[in-house]
Amino acid sequence: MVNSYLDIGVQSRMNRIISPKDNRVVMLAIDHPYFQGPTTGLRNMSVTIKTLLPYCDCLMTTRGAVRANIAPEDVGSKPIMLRVSGGNSVLFEELSDEKLTVTIRDAIRMDAAGVAVSVFIGSANQQQTILNLTDMINSAEEYGIPVLAVTAVGKNMARDLRYLALASRICQDAGARIVKTYYCEEFSKLVDWVAPTAVVVAGGKYSSPPDAMKMAYDSIQAGAAGVDFGRNIFQDKNPVGMIKAIGSIVHGNHTVKEAMDIYNSCLPGATKLD
Ligand code: R5P
């Protein structure tokens, strides 16, 4: 609900990201090369985007990927959640050493609907990454741009309710409008504890279509606004079937079985992305 004139810009962009029709979103995460370089399924990113863009509600990606890989005719067709933190690579074990990498001015130039910052709670760089988030919120909110916080927890911390809720709640308190986190047992508690901030669920490593669909289903049932899946979609042998199936769970409240039927109907002729 819009509660002040100052929130009109934020609400407008939030409505582009999370449909006000059902308060749900299928965000497609294709930001992985920002720290891991050529990634299976994203090596030819223009093909990946062309193939999957019609079926997602929002594309989470990086400045360079937007500039280099979105076909001119597709620019503006889907809102962009622009990753604006980074500065590390898989060559270093400690991935939490991130800083802000994109100015709010450039995010506005690119017509970003929102900007995303990673926060690593319990890591060596906890304070730095929380301050990355708050610095970006301070800049972005001035221009009516919502900030999504990508939560990560320290290497030795379990991805369970205790730590994921800790990370998510810290991000909400910092002022994030959307929190991205991992699914865990008792996930509905996490959603309740950060309400009314929208929660989207990361997919994690490629698993299998039924497992990824079950995670999406359980997340939605627990009250998540949607998913921000990457590898479980673009690394599947049937990426279009996968994103359509996930969409049916998120927007149509389909069961895993119903979603698998959609997936299987797209299998003939499906092509794996490079
Ligand atoms: C991680 O920092 C990135 O934001 C990824 O986009 C995120 O982990 C989601 O992708 P996946 O579903 O492949 O885990």
Side-chain angles (χ1 to χ4, degrees):
M1 179 188 289
V2 175
N3 52 20
S4 90
Y5 285 109
L6 289 176
D7 282 336
I8 291 289
V10 169
Q11 191 64 51
S12 169
R13 292 180 178 87
M14 285 293 286
N15 287 353
R16 288 166 63 194
I17 299 164
I18 301 175
S19 170
K21 288 186 193 145
D22 60 3
N23 289 315
R24 300 264 174 90
V25 60
V26 175
M27 203 179 286
L28 177 64
I30 54 164
D31 57 334
H32 307 60
Y34 92 95
F35 73 104
Q36 57 185 50
T39 302
T40 305
L42 300 180
R43 286 185 286 243
N44 194 343
M45 203 188 275
S46 55
V47 172
T48 300
I49 292 175
K50 196 74 184 167
T51 305
L52 298 175
L53 196 65
Y55 309 105
C56 72
D57 302 312
C58 178
L59 200 59
M60 181 195 186
T61 189
T62 57
R63 173 167 59 186
V66 171
R67 286 187 180 148
N69 299 304
I70 299 189
E73 66 275 16
D74 292 332
V75 171
S77 65
K78 293 289 165 77
I80 300 293
M81 176 59 69
L82 190 67
R83 168 171 279 284
V84 294
S85 74
N88 214 326
S89 86
V90 282
L91 298 181
F92 286 86
E93 237 182 79
E94 184 55 68
L95 289 173
S96 65
D97 192 8
E98 288 200 354
K99 295 217 165 141
L100 292 175
T101 52
V102 180
T103 62
I104 194 62
R105 191 184 162 94
D106 218 21
I108 293 166
R109 261 185 82 223
M110 297 186 71
D111 192 29
V115 291
V117 177
S118 283
V119 173
F120 297 79
I121 299 300
S123 74
N125 296 290
Q126 172 178 283
Q127 186 189 54
Q128 178 181 311
T129 59
I130 294 174
L131 295 180
N132 288 342
L133 176 66
T134 51
D135 283 351
M136 184 46 68
I137 290 169
N138 289 337
S139 310
E141 289 272 334
E142 206 174 324
Y143 297 98
I145 299 180
V147 177
L148 178 152
V150 181
T151 62
V153 294
K155 279 191 293 249
N156 301 322
M157 292 157 62
R159 284 183 184 172
D160 61 13
L161 180 67
R162 178 183 173 193
Y163 292 119
L164 295 176
L166 172 74
S168 299
R169 187 57 191 262
I170 287 171
C171 292
Q172 185 208 32
D173 276 50
R177 300 280 184 163
I178 307 172
V179 170
K180 170 175 169 172
T181 190
Y182 291 95
Y183 181 78
C184 62
E185 278 183 28
E186 300 185 275
F187 195 66
S188 60
K189 287 187 180 168
L190 184 152
V191 174
D192 285 348
W193 293 341
V194 302
T197 303
V199 175
V200 294
V201 174
K205 275 186 193 160
Y206 180 80
S207 53
S208 73
D211 285 352
M213 288 179 210
K214 184 169 182 336
M215 188 197 293
Y217 180 81
D218 290 345
S219 303
I220 292 297
Q221 294 304 309
V227 298
D228 186 16
F229 280 9
R231 288 164 287 181
N232 276 292
I233 292 172
F234 64 71
Q235 292 183 344
D236 193 79
K237 66 180 179 193
N238 178 15
V240 169
M242 195 61 193
I243 197 166
K244 282 185 172 177
I246 296 291
S248 78
I249 292 169
V250 172
H251 290 298
N253 293 308
H254 281 193
T255 62
V256 172
K257 190 191 169 306
E258 289 167 331
M260 274 305 294
D261 288 344
I262 292 174
Y263 176 89
N264 287 327
S265 71
C266 298
L267 254 181
T271 313
K272 208 167 179 325
L273 294 161
D274 179 46

